[in-house]
Amino acid sequence: MADTALTFPVVTETAEHARLRVEVRSFLAETLPPDFRPGLGMAGGWSPEFSSRLAKRGWVGMSIPRRYGGAEMDTVTRVVVTEELLAAGAPVAAHWVAERQSAPSILHFGSDAQRDRFLPGIAAGELFFSIGMSEPEAGSDLASVRTSALQVDGGWSVTGRKIWTTHAHHNHFFAVLCRTAPAADGDKHSGLSQLIVDLSAPGVSVHPIKLLNNSHDFNEVVLDDVFVPDEMVLGTLGSGWHQVTSELVLERGGPDRLLSTFPLLVHYLKERPAGRDAVHETVGRLVARLAAIRQIYLSVAAMVDLGTAAPVAAAVGKDLGTLYEQEIVSALTELDELDPDPNAVSTYEQLLAEAIVMAPSFTIRGGTTEVLRIVTARALRSA
Ligand SMILES: Cc1cc2nc3c(=O)[nH]c(=O)nc-3n(C[C@H](O)[C@H](O)[C@H](O)COP(=O)(O)OP(=O)(O)OC[C@H]3O[C@@H](n4cnc5c(N)ncnc54)[C@H](O)[C@@H]3O)c2cc1C
């Protein structure tokens, strides 16, 4: 059943969840060095060493069945672990996409051979994926992708350009949304497929796109006649649109769309003078909103566990969650007159400088606020 009526099942944390939360906090206290500087969201924190240590505790590939080396957790329990990692600003970027969406997608749509090949490496925190959706002329209008795959002997020859491909310069594979057949009349969502492409394959070139602060997360990936064997078609040919829509629920509907700037709030409270009415009022408001919005992604997690499609609930969650991530930055900036300085001694001031640069991207990545509202409005109209 689709979530067009926008009902949000209420989720209550259990004693087991509370125990797990404490366990993750202890692991982080033992594992992160004393001078660890938290990251915001996944920015900067690409650390295969950390991913591997986390995996040894069963906290990578959490939704992967045990027979593939995963922890076989339900999605709500997985949220407990990811909340703790994000709240601490842990360096989770390397495994994040593989853990969040590539593994569930391969598990759900992939062949047995693909599950055998990819899931154990993802669960071990050793195999990393990027997202191969956006193109220069196809971001919000994703179904207009021009990257195309032509059938050749034993596979496909893929040619096109992907953009904003986060961490493609480090990662091993990405699932490329491309056209494998012409669109049927009036339906551009048809004829699309997902192919798993090795980012080190001949014909793949990765070009950095640096941010204003010179940091490098993004890339443009050019695919020039790249051979992809038939075995690397993910799911069913022509079902690419349905598959990426399912993937987007996982990309949009989780704590990483609410907690990107939470470490900034934590460090504000650690470092800045408290005891002021304005601070009490601002922090009280921010914490109350956080408690309300996190119920949405707990509901999305519960719906995923029930096998219910939740694209609209995930869109509502991302809309509210990413505006909240920006609100933390603007609300804290208003409390004090500080010049943002990435080289400041204070961790709070460093994070503030970083957050100001990053904040505009929160409401763009994974689908812009305007597009999410179109998704929600259409669902409400047809409910
Ligand atoms: C930090 C970050 C990381 C990213 N990582 C990845 C990645 O790893 N892999 C990947 O594939 N993509 C990635 N993206 C790309 C992201 O998904 C796209 O930027 C996003 O979908 C928007 O597409 P666009 O940039 O082409 O903007 P456009 O689609 O050109 O939109 C421009 C503006 O027009 C508005 N707009 C567009 N259509 C409509 C409409 N119908 N009605 C009203 N307003 C509209 C939008 O809201 C936006 O404000 C990333 C983006 C960011 C910011």
Side-chain angles (χ1 to χ4, degrees), residues 67-354:
R67 68 181 180 282
Y68 298 113
E72 209 166 317
M73 268 180 199
D74 61 51
T75 314
V76 173
T77 309
R78 179 186 170 275
V79 162
V80 170
V81 177
T82 50
E83 278 188 332
E84 290 302 324
L85 296 173
L86 293 164
V92 292
H95 66 267
W96 199 258
V97 166
E99 144 71 29
R100 178 184 67 191
Q101 63 195 83
S102 313
S105 214
I106 291 169
L107 191 59
H108 196 69
F109 300 111
S111 64
D112 284 345
Q114 288 167 353
R115 292 185 192 130
D116 287 340
R117 173 163 178 194
F118 294 114
L119 296 181
I122 294 176
E126 290 168 359
L127 199 54
F128 308 134
F129 274 67
S130 291
I131 301 170
M133 296 188 196
S134 306
E135 296 187 5
E137 303 300 326
S140 302
D141 185 14
L142 188 59
S144 296
V145 288
R146 291 191 194 161
T147 296
S148 64
L150 293 176
Q151 199 147 26
V152 294
D153 193 23
W156 298 82
S157 166
V158 186
T159 297
R161 283 166 71 205
K162 293 290 171 183
I163 201 164
W164 315 127
T165 321
T166 309
H167 295 307
H169 55 307
H170 296 304
N171 290 344
H172 304 107
F173 291 92
F174 69 157
V176 170
L177 180 68
C178 60
R179 186 153 288 290
T180 46
D185 267 355
D187 181 12
K188 65 182 176 187
H189 302 108
S190 65
L192 296 172
S193 304
Q194 279 185 298
L195 306 188
I196 302 176
V197 176
D198 183 337
L199 280 158
S200 64
V204 177
S205 49
V206 178
H207 307 278
I209 303 175
K210 292 200 176 170
L211 290 187
L212 279 176
N213 64 2
N214 217 27
S215 62
H216 174 202
D217 288 341
F218 282 145
N219 301 279
E220 179 192 49
V221 182
V222 178
L223 303 152
D224 183 11
D225 199 9
V226 178
F227 176 71
V228 180
D230 281 324
E231 308 85 81
M232 289 300 112
V233 172
L234 178 62
T236 312
L237 278 174
S239 294
W241 186 254
H242 165 66
Q243 292 174 197
V244 291
T245 313
S246 316
E247 213 179 301
L248 283 170
V249 171
L250 303 173
E251 187 177 345
R252 291 173 176 167
D256 38 354
R257 302 307 179 201
L258 180 66
L259 296 180
S260 301
T261 50
F262 187 77
L264 183 69
L265 180 59
V266 170
H267 277 271
Y268 185 90
L269 294 172
K270 278 187 183 168
E271 292 182 30
R272 301 298 302 163
R276 294 175 286 162
D277 284 350
V279 174
H280 294 161
E281 190 274 326
T282 298
V283 173
R285 177 166 47 86
L286 291 173
V287 172
R289 277 173 53 67
L290 176 71
I293 301 172
R294 76 181 279 273
Q295 284 301 323
I296 297 179
Y297 63 67
L298 283 169
S299 297
V300 171
M303 286 190 258
V304 170
D305 284 336
L306 289 169
T308 313
V312 188
V316 172
K318 184 185 182 286
D319 178 354
L320 293 172
T322 53
L323 288 172
Y324 173 81
E325 292 176 328
Q326 292 176 339
E327 186 187 340
I328 289 188
V329 185
S330 55
L332 297 183
T333 307
E334 277 170 25
L335 284 177
D336 296 296
E337 279 187 22
L338 285 175
D339 277 336
D341 178 2
N343 301 314
V345 175
S346 140
T347 302
Y348 170 71
E349 289 181 49
Q350 288 174 25
L351 289 175
L352 180 65
E354 193 180 314

